Amino acid sequence: MVLIDGKKISAEVKQELAEKVLKIKENGGKVPHLVAVLVGNDPASETYVAAKVKACNEIGFKSTEMRYSADMTENELLEVVKSLNEDDDVDGYIVQLPLPKHISDEKILMAIDPDKDVDGFHPCNLGKMVVGMPTYLPATPAGIVELLKRYKIETKGKHCVVIGRSNIVGTPMSILMSRKSEYADCTVTLCHSRTKNIKDFTLQADILVVALGVPHFLTADMVKDDVVVVDVGIHRIASDKTKSGFRLIGDVDFESVAPKCSYITPVPGGVGPMTIVSLLQNTLLASERK
Ligand code: GUN
């Protein structure tokens, strides 16, 4: 069993990006600039945004965090989006989700200039992905493909089972894995909360991407020998064994599943660090396109 080290691979990609930034600087170019908009103070969102800003600083990107209180109105946020669309200094930006309930995610995401949508969430960018045109790929699926690629995991003709159909992970992942390309070309099954007898599908999987948001959902009896397991879940559970009083677990029951796998991603340190790297890659792409 090989443990897929997302921390190591993300450090490698960040190093490559840092070298590209150095070259841009040497040539007198403009360094890529990412803006992260955070509304309210959801603790998980605060952690994610802080990690994104830190990663930008590490590789020499310019980054700006824009924070607003949870009671800002939808129109006020739309004004922020409009000003970011018009600001030539900003190459790409993200509006961290979830937004407060009184603000429509859809309305805000639709207002983002697709050329600056480095999350790849705008329907224009998702549509380009579906037809195989160059675009910003959603960060988590793109990060997973990068891991498969760097570990040289065979995907052609394999059966990839994706569990979860969210707009930001499961659905785009299923599309990416079915594309005709070197690190895809799979037969894909998309399972979700309404799938009956899900074990019938997971037992057929050569590659399993688990992104349904249920702690320890996938157990050893649900997988065949030598499966590749990618765990997208991340859950905080209480623990008296750590200083912080909690530990992170995924959607996969790692202890029982890992011994059956050819490759598996751990939580933490698997998919998570790759998500940020994809965002940085998209931001570089945004600045190069300009
Ligand atoms: N919330 C959870 N993941 C993400 C992400 O990748 N981008 C944004 N904007 N919000 C998120």
Side-chain angles (χ1 to χ4, degrees):
M1 183 271 292
V2 176
L3 197 63
I4 297 180
D5 189 344
K7 245 177 146 174
K8 179 173 140 244
I9 301 295
S10 72
E12 276 173 29
V13 182
K14 278 198 268 185
Q15 182 57 36
E16 292 162 14
L17 288 168
E19 281 160 21
K20 287 185 182 162
V21 176
L22 270 184
K23 284 227 171 76
I24 293 171
K25 282 185 178 161
E26 275 166 21
N27 295 331
K30 175 187 170 304
V31 299
H33 181 194
L34 173 74
V35 173
V37 177
L38 178 58
V39 183
N41 37 24
D42 173 71
S45 294
E46 297 229 12
T47 309
Y48 292 140
V49 167
K52 289 169 186 178
V53 168
K54 181 169 165 263
C56 282
N57 296 339
E58 278 169 15
I59 63 165
F61 280 10
K62 182 175 171 187
S63 65
T64 307
E65 188 179 332
M66 295 173 74
R67 299 188 65 136
Y68 298 94
S69 82
D71 60 6
M72 92 184 294
T73 66
E74 188 175 85
N75 276 339
E76 283 167 342
L77 185 55
L78 283 169
E79 279 306 312
V80 171
V81 165
K82 186 164 175 272
S83 71
L84 289 168
N85 286 345
E86 287 166 359
D87 187 342
D88 272 346
D89 189 54
V90 176
D91 297 298
Y93 67 97
I94 62 156
V95 177
Q96 188 67 26
L97 303 176
L99 289 168
K101 289 211 164 40
H102 63 280
I103 301 179
S104 152
D105 289 5
E106 191 179 307
K107 234 185 196 168
I108 300 301
L109 295 181
M110 290 290 286
I112 295 175
D113 177 352
D115 287 340
K116 294 190 174 187
D117 165 43
V118 285
D119 260 330
F121 291 171
H122 193 285
C124 272
N125 288 322
L126 285 171
K128 283 183 178 172
M129 182 194 74
V130 172
V131 296
M133 287 167 70
T135 187
Y136 305 119
L137 299 177
T140 303
I144 294 170
V145 172
E146 191 73 38
L147 284 177
L148 298 173
K149 189 169 160 181
R150 297 214 177 210
Y151 274 84
K152 297 188 169 61
I153 292 171
E154 183 65 51
T155 55
K156 252 182 230 323
K158 302 285 183 190
H159 186 188
C160 175
V161 175
V162 178
I163 312 179
R165 57 179 158 185
S166 71
N167 285 345
I168 64 177
V169 185
T171 296
M173 189 73 215
S174 67
I175 294 164
L176 275 185
M177 294 309 285
S178 66
R179 283 194 316 182
K180 191 173 175 65
S181 77
E182 202 181 342
Y183 291 96
D185 242 343
C186 290
T187 302
V188 176
T189 302
L190 180 60
C191 297
H192 48 74
S193 54
R194 299 280 176 210
T195 303
K196 292 201 172 85
N197 303 324
I198 198 162
K199 198 171 152 181
D200 291 348
F201 298 98
T202 57
L203 277 170
Q204 290 178 38
D206 302 308
I207 301 170
L208 247 171
V209 179
V210 194
L212 78 167
V214 177
H216 284 180
F217 174 82
L218 191 84
T219 46
D221 56 308
M222 298 170 76
V223 300
K224 68 177 183 185
D225 283 338
D226 294 329
V227 61
V228 176
V229 169
V230 177
D231 188 352
V232 183
I234 185 151
H235 313 275
R236 249 182 193 217
I237 58 156
S239 169
D240 52 16
K241 291 200 184 81
T242 62
K243 237 184 176 174
S244 59
F246 69 86
R247 68 187 179 98
L248 296 173
I249 62 166
D251 286 357
V252 175
D253 178 26
F254 185 88
E255 261 183 39
S256 74
V257 173
K260 293 183 84 174
C261 297
S262 54
Y263 294 86
I264 185 167
T265 63
V267 175
V271 173
M274 294 306 292
T275 299
I276 293 181
V277 153
S278 307
L279 178 66
L280 299 174
Q281 286 174 317
N282 281 346
T283 306
L284 178 67
L285 183 65
S287 88
E288 285 171 347
R289 278 175 164 182
K290 274 192 17 208

